[in-house]
Amino acid sequence: MSNKTEGRARRKGAATHDSGKVTLEMVAAAAGVSPSTVSRILNGTAVVADEKRAAVDEAIARLGFVPNPMARGLAGGRTLSIGVVTQAIDSPFYGGALRGVEEELGRAGYSPLFVSGHWSAAREAQCIETLKARRVDGIIVLTGRLSDAALAQQAQSLPVVVTGRNLVAPRLYALNFDNFEGARLAAHHLLSLGHRRIAFISGDSRHPDAKERLRGYRAALEAAGLPFEPALVLPGNYTEDSGRMAVERLLDSREPFTAIFAANDQMAFGAGLALHRRHLRVPEDVSLVGFDDVASALYAIPPLSTVHHPVYELGQAAAQAMLQLLAGETPTAQLPAPRFISRESSRELQAAPAGAAPRARRR
Amino acid sequence: MSNKTEGRARRKGAATHDSGKVTLEMVAAAAGVSPSTVSRILNGTAVVADEKRAAVDEAIARLGFVPNPMARGLAGGRTLSIGVVTQAIDSPFYGGALRGVEEELGRAGYSPLFVSGHWSAAREAQCIETLKARRVDGIIVLTGRLSDAALAQQAQSLPVVVTGRNLVAPRLYALNFDNFEGARLAAHHLLSLGHRRIAFISGDSRHPDAKERLRGYRAALEAAGLPFEPALVLPGNYTEDSGRMAVERLLDSREPFTAIFAANDQMAFGAGLALHRRHLRVPEDVSLVGFDDVASALYAIPPLSTVHHPVYELGQAAAQAMLQLLAGETPTAQLPAPRFISRESSRELQAAPAGAAPRARRR
DNA sequence: TTGTACGCGTTATCAG
DNA sequence: CTGATAACGCGTACAA
């Protein structure tokens, strides 16, 4: 045995900074048991005598032993790391979800590996390759652009959790938020305030959630017995700037409206700026509501009425589902129902010349 | 040889989903060379005959071989992953930096491992332990709360890059932004607009950058021959809410002022809300400037004048420095100088009753 | 219940 | 310039 240890110590090029690397083998020696016993205790793979277990625990603590994930990965085929594909790591929207994933995974000893797809299916696919190269144990896709088929395909080799769509496939769990209901709620809010001509700024129609939000808007209109007016729905792409441009187009079209429902908060902010530039006040002249309830919505001027999207919980739930998938269980995680948060950007329709188009007011 | 292969194939518990795992050994066999040669080609460790190199490249491509990072880590003592300690992964400020780190590291084949310290030195230390357990090759600390000594200590066992402070230590590179100059610029801007009573909302004084920003504010005042008025500096902690409360206290104090300089954009947003609540207009009644130029500053109402903090470049530079440290070089990365961005939240001081305290106007 | 022995996929050393 | 060979640190089938 001593010769083996010596042989290792003599090795050169290995770890560059071998300051106090303690190995399982050293723990075993210190505790007077075999390496396998230590391994078993670490993984709970088998029952061990209390006596030895105590000795090992003591040795681990005393030596400050920390298992080497690399070796574990190589030997056991697991890396205890989960790939997380997101669109933009710096998005105000996804940030919260990442936090949820991080915390929930951490609790179970897993680490997330974040990669950004930048809204491109091609880059997403590439990200997944990177993650697989890193041998992650599973992949969480936060609202990606990959096709359902591509995702189901990945699930054949790796457990997959995906958010933002409905999809059933083996070893795959889809976790969706009720975007339809959320949008219905928001539109209903405006309707209940007396608004009848409500403009809608939509997200990219290639996104399932964008489609659902539009559907919710239409459903609310229909329930109120109002006709759907194509002229009031403006295309956007979830960015502030697209919201700004949508409102400028709307204003230029002279189409009358008294409220705007943006399919996400970022577009609502852009819309707010466009209104401000035309000297229209929110909510006095136009009511404005968003969707998602990002952190900054609370400090917008005026604070934005919006649909609360539980992103942190979304991240948590996705992580939980992944953990369950990994354990061979069937995930049960669900998301809370949408809630509308009424703040100061929307108010009751004032007695105004019905049907008059808001105009740029001269200063 | 065949028996060895068979032995492996027979093994059970290993990788759970061995769909097409191609090993370096298989590549070697396919190319008719030894595994060492393949390894050498992969790492550029030595010169190989062009002929064999071509054969190997072909085999790699044909088989779709991807090196296993685990095995690499185990054998080579490197993991090709870098730990990144951040305060809040969902912060509007750090998000950009993370993106910069991700892209720059990715270019070199490294992956970032993000962990959040949540503004607590204790949790940061814990994060670093987690990262070390994962055997990261180096650690990037984005503006942490850890003491200089603690950081220098870590640098003894691992290369460290830290932002937001000045510090020299072996195997450690500090990358700082000129917060002093940035703040001086912002204050100077307000001064040049004719403002004389400029309130300052500071960050937590335990943060080096917060101290620098305060210093820059004072320096600008001094250069303009104005006295420093303690009553005009309000404590804050970089959150929106602290900005809001600071302004409320300021207004309640009846201290006259015509402009507010918040030490970061988030506090400026809170300040803006407080002013809005008291029916004070920006910039008509009060000029407001922030610091950082977070993405949403452009869409605030009105768009916020602020100091541009190149966070993306910060992340990039930190990653570059780490790569250089890893290569045994001395990092040279530097940050661009601060620039002040004048938008619509600040304007020339109007001829108004000088020294009159802004008051809440009745609607 | 415990120990032995081997293999996970790669890199580094050393001999040729 | 190239090929054996021995680790890297751990998990696990198998024997005891």
Side-chain angles (χ1 to χ4, degrees):
Chain A
M1 176 170 211
S2 67
N3 55 348
K4 183 171 186 182
T5 310
E6 280 170 21
R8 291 192 175 175
R10 231 187 341 256
R11 180 116 184 279
K12 275 196 9 205
T16 323
H17 331 294
D18 355 46
S19 60
K21 294 287 181 229
V22 184
T23 72
L24 181 150
E25 198 176 325
M26 295 166 61
V27 172
V33 300
S34 79
S36 24
T37 301
V38 178
S39 173
R40 281 189 268 261
I41 291 179
L42 253 39
N43 303 289
T45 317
V47 190
V48 205
D50 283 352
E51 190 187 352
K52 309 209 171 197
R53 154 170 265 121
V56 170
D57 284 342
E58 187 274 333
I60 289 181
R62 183 159 51 79
L63 273 46
F65 167 71
V66 180
N68 180 329
M70 300 295 130
R72 260 156 114 109
L74 235 204
R78 315 179 319 154
T79 58
L80 293 182
S81 64
I82 302 293
V84 180
V85 180
T86 171
Q87 293 311 319
I89 198 168
D90 56 342
S91 135
F93 179 71
Y94 289 109
L98 300 188
R99 227 183 68 234
V101 170
E102 182 189 10
E103 301 205 345
E104 196 66 22
L105 244 32
R107 233 189 293 287
Y110 278 82
S111 293
L113 215 52
F114 297 116
V115 292
S116 308
H118 301 284
W119 303 112
S120 133
R123 291 201 54 163
E124 261 176 62
Q126 189 185 328
C127 284
I128 292 190
E129 284 317 305
T130 305
L131 292 174
K132 290 174 82 170
R134 291 243 163 215
R135 303 303 200 268
V136 294
D137 295 340
I139 294 183
I140 295 177
V141 179
L142 294 175
T143 317
R145 284 224 168 144
L146 247 26
S147 69
D148 286 2
L151 248 19
Q153 156 95 38
Q154 292 298 345
Q156 293 184 345
S157 62
L158 226 51
V160 171
V161 169
V162 55
T163 70
R165 68 178 91 187
N166 295 313
L167 174 58
V168 292
R171 297 161 57 78
L172 170 331
Y173 188 68
L175 199 54
N176 209 354
F177 178 65
D178 196 341
N179 288 289
F180 170 81
E181 174 64 7
R184 204 192 57 71
L185 247 30
H188 175 75
H189 163 82
L190 254 13
L191 256 5
S192 73
L193 253 26
H195 294 278
R196 287 298 171 267
R197 298 197 55 85
I198 304 170
F200 180 77
I201 309 178
S202 75
D204 187 322
S205 61
R206 284 173 298 182
H207 278 256
D209 50 14
K211 277 190 284 206
E212 286 299 285
R213 291 177 189 188
L214 173 55
R215 213 163 61 77
Y217 160 78
R218 296 188 62 157
L221 249 40
E222 191 168 347
L226 292 175
F228 171 69
E229 305 237 12
L232 284 178
V233 355
L234 297 312
N237 64 6
Y238 280 168
T239 64
E240 285 91 348
D241 213 50
S242 72
R244 184 185 59 73
M245 292 189 301
V247 169
E248 287 181 357
R249 279 194 307 274
L250 177 62
L251 254 13
D252 289 342
S253 77
R254 321 282 315 230
E255 194 71 33
F257 68 95
T258 64
I260 300 175
F261 171 21
N264 80 348
D265 290 350
Q266 287 174 262
M267 292 194 298
F269 298 146
L273 181 57
L275 293 171
H276 175 77
R277 284 271 158 72
R278 302 273 189 129
H279 305 289
L280 287 167
R281 294 161 305 169
V282 173
E284 292 83 350
D285 301 317
V286 176
S287 278
L288 177 63
V289 311
F291 197 121
D292 281 345
D293 194 21
V294 300
S296 52
L298 194 50
Y299 289 92
I301 293 182
L304 187 69
S305 296
T306 187
V307 178
H308 182 69
H309 192 160
V311 274
Y312 176 77
E313 289 82 352
L314 176 77
Q316 274 192 313
Q320 280 168 8
M322 175 53 71
L323 259 15
Q324 292 176 300
L325 235 31
L326 251 17
E329 305 164 16
T330 299
T332 55
Q334 286 296 147
L335 251 31
R339 285 182 302 125
F340 184 80
I341 315 266
S342 179
R343 291 205 268 250
E344 298 160 41
S345 65
S346 54
R347 67 140 81 166
E348 198 133 349
L349 181 64
Q350 305 298 302
R359 299 273 176 81
R361 302 184 307 168
R362 305 202 61 90
R363 40 176 94 208
Chain B
M1 177 169 213
S2 68
N3 54 350
K4 184 172 188 183
T5 311
E6 282 172 18
R8 290 192 176 176
R10 228 186 343 254
R11 180 118 184 280
K12 274 192 15 198
T16 325
H17 332 294
D18 356 45
S19 59
K21 293 289 178 225
V22 184
T23 73
L24 180 150
E25 198 175 327
M26 295 165 62
V27 172
V33 300
S34 78
S36 340
T37 301
V38 178
S39 173
R40 279 190 271 260
I41 291 179
L42 253 39
N43 302 288
T45 315
V47 189
V48 196
D50 282 351
E51 189 188 351
K52 308 209 172 196
R53 153 170 268 121
V56 170
D57 283 343
E58 187 274 334
I60 289 181
R62 184 160 49 79
L63 271 48
F65 167 71
V66 179
N68 181 329
M70 298 295 131
R72 261 158 117 107
L74 231 207
R78 316 177 322 151
T79 58
L80 291 182
S81 65
I82 302 292
V84 181
V85 180
T86 173
Q87 294 311 318
I89 198 168
D90 56 343
S91 137
F93 178 70
Y94 290 109
L98 300 187
R99 226 183 67 234
V101 169
E102 182 188 10
E103 300 205 344
E104 196 64 23
L105 244 30
R107 234 188 294 287
Y110 279 81
S111 293
L113 215 53
F114 298 116
V115 292
S116 307
H118 302 284
W119 304 111
S120 132
R123 290 200 56 164
E124 263 176 61
Q126 190 185 327
C127 284
I128 292 192
E129 284 317 305
T130 306
L131 292 174
K132 289 175 82 169
R134 291 241 163 216
R135 302 303 199 268
V136 294
D137 295 340
I139 295 184
I140 295 177
V141 179
L142 295 174
T143 317
R145 285 229 167 138
L146 247 26
S147 69
D148 286 1
L151 248 19
Q153 156 94 37
Q154 291 298 345
Q156 295 185 345
S157 61
L158 226 51
V160 171
V161 169
V162 55
T163 71
R165 69 176 90 187
N166 295 312
L167 174 58
V168 291
R171 297 160 58 78
L172 170 330
Y173 188 69
L175 198 54
N176 209 353
F177 178 66
D178 197 343
N179 289 288
F180 170 81
E181 175 63 9
R184 204 192 58 71
L185 247 31
H188 176 76
H189 163 82
L190 290 171
L191 255 5
S192 72
L193 254 27
H195 295 277
R196 287 297 171 267
R197 297 195 57 84
I198 304 170
F200 180 76
I201 309 177
S202 75
D204 187 323
S205 61
R206 284 172 298 182
H207 277 257
D209 51 13
K211 277 192 284 206
E212 286 298 286
R213 292 178 188 187
L214 173 55
R215 215 163 62 76
Y217 161 77
R218 296 189 61 158
L221 249 40
E222 193 168 347
L226 291 175
F228 172 69
E229 305 237 14
L232 284 179
V233 356
L234 296 312
N237 64 6
Y238 281 167
T239 64
E240 286 90 348
D241 213 49
S242 73
R244 183 185 59 71
M245 291 190 300
V247 169
E248 286 182 357
R249 278 196 307 274
L250 178 63
L251 255 13
D252 289 342
S253 77
R254 321 284 313 231
E255 194 70 33
F257 68 95
T258 63
I260 298 175
F261 171 21
N264 81 347
D265 290 350
Q266 287 175 263
M267 292 194 297
F269 298 146
L273 181 57
L275 293 170
H276 175 78
R277 285 271 158 73
R278 302 275 189 124
H279 304 289
L280 288 166
R281 295 160 304 168
V282 172
E284 292 84 350
D285 301 316
V286 176
S287 279
L288 176 64
V289 311
F291 196 121
D292 281 345
D293 194 20
V294 300
S296 52
L298 194 50
Y299 290 92
I301 293 184
L304 187 68
S305 296
T306 187
V307 177
H308 182 70
H309 192 159
V311 274
Y312 176 77
E313 289 83 352
L314 176 78
Q316 273 192 313
Q320 279 168 9
M322 175 53 71
L323 258 16
Q324 292 178 297
L325 235 31
L326 253 15
E329 304 163 18
T330 300
T332 54
Q334 287 296 146
L335 251 30
R339 284 183 301 126
F340 184 79
I341 314 265
S342 180
R343 291 204 268 251
E344 299 161 41
S345 66
S346 54
R347 67 138 83 165
E348 198 133 349
L349 182 62
Q350 304 298 301
R359 300 273 177 78
R361 300 185 309 169
R362 303 202 61 90
R363 44 175 97 209

